[in-house]
Amino acid sequence: YSEMRRAAIERSLTQAGVGDVQARAWSEEAFEVWLAARNKHAEHLLFSGAALALERTAVAFPGVKIGAITNGRGDISAIPTLAPYFSYSVSGEEEGVFPHRKPSLDIYKEAVRRATGGKGFGDEVWVHCGDDLENDVAPAREMGMLTVYLCHHGDRGRGGFSTMSPEEEAARQAKAEAMRDLPDVTISSIDQLPDALAALMASRTRASSVAAA
């Protein structure tokens, strides 16, 4: 998608009579301006309570590593409110990752690689929180992670922003309905995340105790 944006800008410039070389250079500059603005304004579009939920999580679980997996170009390090809580991130738009975007397991494997310094899964407990059953919950479970599904306003499929046609949306909702029982925990707002994580850890501890007995 990054290249598509650059190409669209370049095409508009050439159609306006700008030479090919200049159009390419200007399209690169314009894309970087857009990307900087995108990250700047992300600060003002965060879910209510997101930063507090991260702070509570970091306090409740000392030593926890929090990472971000995204198909977009948002740079968590460029969002001041959130940046202090994140140890790593991976984007499906990155060179070396694209075209393996969510729900590909490859992008999740890359996240694990970055989180562990290349060591891979160990004895750590991995929990993935996402707002899409198909892109987040299903692949994370396949990876062996615990899952928390952020279900916005009772929507069992995805968040409120979409460019899909009504037919595509209906098909996606049907698929989401079939996945409704996949998450380990479902929450309706991000401020519920710390309590959901605590419940998951407590449940895991109880299960371990039973197995040991």
Side-chain angles (χ1 to χ4, degrees):
Y1 293 125
S2 296
E3 186 55 37
M4 287 174 62
R5 288 188 174 97
R6 291 190 187 95
I9 297 169
E10 183 177 353
R11 181 177 180 183
S12 296
L13 290 169
T14 55
Q15 288 177 338
V18 178
D20 291 345
V21 174
Q22 187 65 71
R24 181 62 180 177
W26 283 355
S27 68
E28 293 284 353
E29 292 178 14
F31 177 81
E32 293 303 320
V33 169
W34 169 83
L35 187 58
R38 182 248 185 268
N39 287 322
K40 178 181 179 180
H41 287 284
E43 178 78 19
H44 307 292
L45 297 172
L46 301 176
F47 288 129
S48 177
L52 181 58
L54 290 167
E55 180 182 357
R56 289 179 57 204
T57 298
V59 171
F61 303 97
V64 66
K65 284 188 177 181
I66 301 175
I69 306 174
T70 177
N71 281 344
R73 282 301 305 264
D75 182 358
I76 202 73
S77 67
I79 304 175
T81 299
L82 302 185
Y85 302 107
F86 284 83
S87 301
Y88 65 95
S89 65
V90 56
S91 166
E93 292 285 287
E94 292 179 31
E95 185 176 351
V97 178
F98 184 84
H100 303 293
R101 298 155 55 85
K102 295 189 296 185
S104 169
L105 295 187
D106 288 342
I107 192 171
Y108 286 86
K109 292 176 182 177
E110 177 60 18
V112 171
R113 188 191 70 78
R114 295 185 187 188
T116 63
K119 297 177 182 178
F121 279 115
D123 296 329
E124 308 91 351
V125 177
W126 293 79
V127 183
H128 181 70
C129 177
D131 63 357
D132 190 297
L133 289 166
E134 183 178 4
N135 283 350
D136 292 307
V137 174
R141 281 184 64 90
E142 190 172 347
M143 286 287 293
M145 300 176 180
L146 297 173
T147 55
V148 177
Y149 173 44
L150 175 56
C151 180
H152 303 283
H153 308 299
D155 176 11
R156 298 290 297 188
R158 60 181 287 122
F161 298 99
S162 176
T163 58
M164 291 188 291
S165 68
E167 294 76 17
E168 290 172 327
E169 180 69 24
R172 188 179 183 89
Q173 289 290 349
K175 184 179 290 187
E177 183 63 22
M179 298 179 179
R180 68 184 184 277
D181 296 325
L182 279 182
D184 292 294
V185 177
T186 296
I187 59 178
S188 58
S189 63
I190 194 64
D191 59 358
Q192 297 170 355
L193 178 60
D195 292 336
L197 293 174
L200 273 176
M201 295 303 101
S203 175
R204 183 180 176 87
T205 299
R206 287 194 298 271
S208 297
S209 298
V210 171

